[in-house]
Amino acid sequence: MKKSFKLININRRDIHILFKWRNEINTRRNSISSKKIKFIQHEHWFTKRLKQKPLFFWKLKFNNNIIGFIRLDKKNRAFYLNYLIDKGFRNRGYGSNIIGQMLKKSVLKKRKLKILAVSKKQNFKSIRAILANNFYIISKKNNIVKFKYENRK
């Protein structure tokens, strides 16, 4: 059976699965913001985020199952990478896959975007996935590593 990966736009129906995954213990442990969030906070953020333009928010489907989410959040003149893989699909290289697929999106290729990423120093798998997709380290401070994407056309 051929593996089928597809990156598609997120929609309102994804609110519950994203909330569940965001509050999962290992997700919080590896996130910059590790606090558990309440559904009302998540719902407010999610509704507001869906209205942002450009949206730059996708889910990764593997054989018709949602296995991850990825987005770019605009802050000042840069877009910050944020992604999440379902705990049942971690340690298989899907972090690198979801980042790579996002970077190939034509909506991103048509624009010259400054894309940054941040990770905790101890999140080695995320660091490896980010570096595997033409990001390079621009700073290391305290517990955080910051990356910048280099488009190598």
Side-chain angles (χ1 to χ4, degrees), residues 7-10 45 49-59 69-75 78-83 102 105-115:
L7 200 61
I8 58 177
N9 287 332
I10 195 165
W45 169 84
R49 184 62 180 84
L50 283 179
K51 293 176 184 174
Q52 286 181 3
K53 301 294 181 220
L55 181 59
F56 294 156
F57 200 165
W58 303 274
K59 57 189 165 191
F69 292 94
I70 191 164
R71 69 179 193 268
L72 292 175
D73 293 325
K74 189 170 185 181
K75 184 176 180 183
F79 288 86
Y80 281 80
L81 172 70
N82 190 309
Y83 77 98
M102 181 209 60
K105 285 287 203 185
S106 62
V107 68
L108 296 182
K109 286 185 167 188
K110 293 176 186 175
R111 303 167 186 231
K112 187 170 180 159
L113 301 177
K114 179 179 180 181
I115 301 175

Side-chain angles (χ1 to χ4, degrees), residues 77-146:
R77 292 186 172 161
F79 288 86
Y80 281 80
L81 172 70
N82 190 309
Y83 77 98
L84 168 63
I85 301 297
D86 176 26
K87 69 180 180 178
F89 291 89
R90 293 180 188 152
N91 302 314
R92 300 183 196 179
Y94 297 147
S96 183
N97 180 303
I98 198 169
I99 295 168
Q101 284 199 43
M102 181 209 60
L103 293 169
K104 291 176 187 170
K105 285 287 203 185
S106 62
V107 68
L108 296 182
K109 286 185 167 188
K110 293 176 186 175
R111 303 167 186 231
K112 187 170 180 159
L113 301 177
K114 179 179 180 181
I115 301 175
L116 304 174
V118 292
S119 177
K120 287 185 174 177
K121 282 184 182 177
Q122 69 269 25
N123 191 349
F124 304 114
K125 294 180 192 247
S126 186
I127 290 171
R128 190 174 20 216
I130 292 166
L131 290 172
N133 284 283
N134 297 330
F135 283 80
Y136 60 93
I137 296 171
I138 56 174
S139 71
K140 293 181 182 180
K141 290 182 184 174
N142 303 323
N143 191 32
I144 305 296
V145 182
K146 190 172 185 178

Side-chain angles (χ1 to χ4, degrees), residues 10-29:
I10 195 165
N11 62 54
R12 181 82 181 136
R13 292 184 304 272
D14 298 314
I15 190 171
H16 294 286
I17 191 168
L18 187 58
F19 174 72
K20 178 182 172 188
W21 292 1
R22 166 55 182 85
N23 277 324
E24 190 265 324
I25 188 72
N26 286 319
T27 299
R28 291 191 356 254
R29 189 176 294 133

